[in-house]
Amino acid sequence: MTAVRLDGREVAEHVKTTLLEAISKLSYKPAIHFVRVGDDPASISYVRGKDRMATSLGVTSKVHALPEDTSQAEVETLVDELNQDSDGDGILVQLPLPSHLDAQQILVNIDPAKDVDGLHPVNIGRLWAGQDGLFPCTPRGLIAILKHYDIDILGKRAVIVGRSNLVGKPAAALFLREHATVTLAHSRTQNLPKLCQQADILVAAVGKPGMITADMVKPGATVLDVGLTRVDGVIQGDVHEDVWEVAGYLTPMPGGTGRMTVAMLMDNTYHAATMRRAQN
């Protein structure tokens, strides 16, 4: 058996096409602000890619590039100003921030209605309460990939390895909303291989290259590789290449879940604009 490739690029293009049509029908242009502090090469690249996709969709995009030594008060002041910008629909503060900044406090200061990363406690609360809101982009992308390929989620056993606030925890909430039976595993989970073998849908989101091996995967299972680690300049995922011979469906790394993160960010921006402006 060789797993069917779940192509994140293909799904992202589908999302982009849908958004282009929806945005073209609006009487205004949604707008997003990106805040980047310092000159970390990865952050520069990520923000450039997000800015490029926003522009391609007809979304007004502005990048606020701040020096490495920008103070906590200065970043929070900028966020406050962007909260008050009546034309701005979304705010994204690129993580990670320099070590002298309190990222959590900065994220809490973002208006939940403009929190297109879906990381504000208000939006996280809405996610777990089953309410509408803006939810984390990478986990939303996982659900979108499965639905694009008509992979059933309802009633399936989903095992998520990794409990981060960015992926693992919100992914658990989103799979629960799709009526999966969810287990959230982590570094202290006992007998992890046996647990993974029970999964119909296995999500690997730890950041440890090759940790999910073929003997940990139920034959025919769907495996979503979210882990991304650079080893000697080469991107490696959490899923070992031998899993291709066991799984039924598998996302490649790169080319799988990463591209969907940016696509769902743009989807969040569209929804933030339509929800916020409908209330004004």
Side-chain angles (χ1 to χ4, degrees), residues 1 13-14 22-23 69 72 89 107-108 118 124 127 207 235 240 258:
M1 177 188 299
E13 283 301 313
H14 174 74
I23 291 171
D69 60 356
Q72 181 83 16
D89 300 296
L107 295 178
V108 167
I124 294 297
L127 170 60
I235 293 176
H240 195 280

Side-chain angles (χ1 to χ4, degrees), residues 128-190:
W128 283 99
Q131 301 174 358
D132 292 333
L134 300 171
F135 305 141
C137 302
T138 299
R140 284 199 62 214
L142 302 181
I143 301 297
I145 288 173
L146 296 178
K147 290 187 174 183
H148 180 84
Y149 284 96
D150 294 322
I151 296 172
D152 196 16
I153 305 174
L154 188 148
K156 299 300 182 180
R157 179 75 180 271
V159 174
I160 300 164
V161 185
R163 55 178 169 177
S164 72
N165 292 329
L166 289 174
V167 180
K169 292 177 184 177
L174 285 170
F175 274 98
L176 282 171
R177 285 167 73 115
E178 297 294 332
H179 308 293
T181 299
V182 178
T183 301
L184 187 58
H186 48 80
S187 60
R188 299 186 182 181
T189 297
Q190 296 183 6

Side-chain angles (χ1 to χ4, degrees), residues 3-209:
V4 174
R5 176 188 175 99
L6 301 178
D7 192 338
R9 293 187 176 98
E10 175 185 313
V11 186
E13 283 301 313
H14 174 74
V15 172
K16 182 177 178 180
T17 298
T18 302
L19 282 173
L20 272 170
E21 181 178 358
I23 291 171
S24 70
K25 295 178 180 178
L26 298 176
S27 59
Y28 55 87
K29 294 179 66 173
I32 183 171
H33 291 277
F34 297 105
V35 178
R36 175 175 59 78
V37 184
D39 296 315
D40 175 69
S43 292
I44 292 173
S45 176
Y46 292 145
V47 171
R48 184 183 298 120
K50 294 169 184 176
D51 177 51
R52 187 183 302 120
M53 179 172 281
T55 301
S56 72
L57 290 171
V59 173
T60 300
S61 173
K62 184 173 182 180
V63 177
H64 303 265
L66 307 178
E68 180 83 19
D69 60 356
T70 301
S71 70
Q72 181 83 16
E74 289 171 324
V75 178
E76 292 182 9
T77 296
L78 173 59
V79 168
D80 289 340
E81 292 173 355
L82 300 180
N83 284 336
Q84 300 304 316
D85 177 14
S86 60
D87 294 324
D89 300 296
I91 302 169
L92 182 144
V93 176
Q94 182 64 42
L95 302 176
L97 292 170
S99 59
H100 69 281
L101 297 175
D102 183 342
Q104 187 58 42
Q105 185 57 49
I106 290 170
L107 295 178
V108 167
N109 283 349
I110 297 174
D111 180 350
K114 296 187 176 187
D115 168 40
V116 289
D117 240 356
L119 299 178
H120 193 284
V122 167
N123 283 319
I124 294 297
R126 288 171 177 162
L127 170 60
W128 283 99
Q131 301 174 358
D132 292 333
L134 300 171
F135 305 141
C137 302
T138 299
R140 284 199 62 214
L142 302 181
I143 301 297
I145 288 173
L146 296 178
K147 290 187 174 183
H148 180 84
Y149 284 96
D150 294 322
I151 296 172
D152 196 16
I153 305 174
L154 188 148
K156 299 300 182 180
R157 179 75 180 271
V159 174
I160 300 164
V161 185
R163 55 178 169 177
S164 72
N165 292 329
L166 289 174
V167 180
K169 292 177 184 177
L174 285 170
F175 274 98
L176 282 171
R177 285 167 73 115
E178 297 294 332
H179 308 293
T181 299
V182 178
T183 301
L184 187 58
H186 48 80
S187 60
R188 299 186 182 181
T189 297
Q190 296 183 6
N191 205 351
L192 180 62
K194 183 176 180 180
L195 181 62
C196 292
Q197 290 166 5
Q198 300 171 16
D200 302 304
I201 301 170
L202 180 60
V203 178
V206 176
K208 185 177 179 181

